[in-house]
Amino acid sequence: MQKKLIVLVLLIVFSFSAVAQNENVYITDKISDKYAYVDVIKTYEKIAAKGYKSVDLFQKLGDSSYQHDKLEKAADWYDQLFAMTTDLEPVYYYRYAESLRFICQNEKADAVIEKLKRKSKVTFKKKV
């Protein structure tokens, strides 16, 4: 009985030391302090300024501007996005319309919302 108790106590003690956190886990925090932060959005803007155009690029730029409440920039990026394609998720139509309303282009925003309504009806018919 005493041997079982001793073995049980030893297992409990060693299991606590095995579960304890190791300082190596936090090495990434120390390394990241040494390196500078790269602003990805500024990099994307430089790429777009050089003439590179893609749907993914304009989505990222528009979303970033929209989320940082820079709706004037967001309207410009979404305008370029919609010039390339209209096969987008409904959230892009809504964000584009909201950005246009912010810069007082209500007629254009209404047209985007109408496109969204027509698109959602077509999508719904395809699913049924």
Side-chain angles (χ1 to χ4, degrees):
M1 180 73 179
Q2 285 181 339
K3 286 185 180 181
K4 290 183 180 179
L5 183 62
I6 292 172
V7 171
L8 181 63
V9 169
L10 287 175
L11 284 174
I12 291 173
V13 169
F14 286 119
S15 68
F16 284 127
S17 65
V19 177
Q21 293 179 349
N22 192 349
E23 189 172 333
N24 291 335
V25 174
Y26 300 106
I27 197 165
T28 56
D29 293 336
K30 294 176 185 174
I31 290 173
S32 66
D33 291 339
K34 295 178 184 177
Y35 296 104
Y37 172 75
V38 176
D39 190 2
V40 178
I41 300 305
K42 286 184 181 178
T43 305
Y44 285 151
E45 287 175 346
K46 288 178 185 176
I47 291 170
K50 289 183 179 180
Y52 179 77
K53 296 180 180 186
S54 76
V55 172
D56 186 49
L57 176 70
F58 291 138
Q59 283 177 337
K60 288 178 182 178
L61 285 168
D63 290 345
S64 174
S65 299
Y66 181 85
Q67 291 168 356
H68 288 99
D69 293 326
K70 297 176 182 173
L71 297 180
E72 292 137 357
K73 278 188 174 181
D76 291 337
W77 295 124
Y78 286 136
D79 188 40
Q80 293 182 36
L81 174 66
F82 276 83
M84 291 184 74
T85 183
T86 56
D87 187 28
L88 297 165
E89 296 177 26
V91 69
Y92 290 104
Y93 285 86
Y94 176 75
R95 289 178 180 174
Y96 183 37
E98 193 172 80
S99 300
L100 288 171
R101 288 196 196 284
F102 181 78
I103 59 173
C104 299
Q105 293 185 4
N106 295 328
E107 295 83 19
K108 197 171 180 180
D110 291 338
V112 170
I113 293 296
E114 286 301 318
K115 287 180 186 177
L116 173 62
K117 287 178 183 177
R118 281 181 278 169
K119 181 179 171 126
S120 62
K121 287 179 184 178
V122 170
T123 306
F124 182 70
K125 288 180 182 179
K126 285 182 182 177
K127 289 183 180 180
V128 175

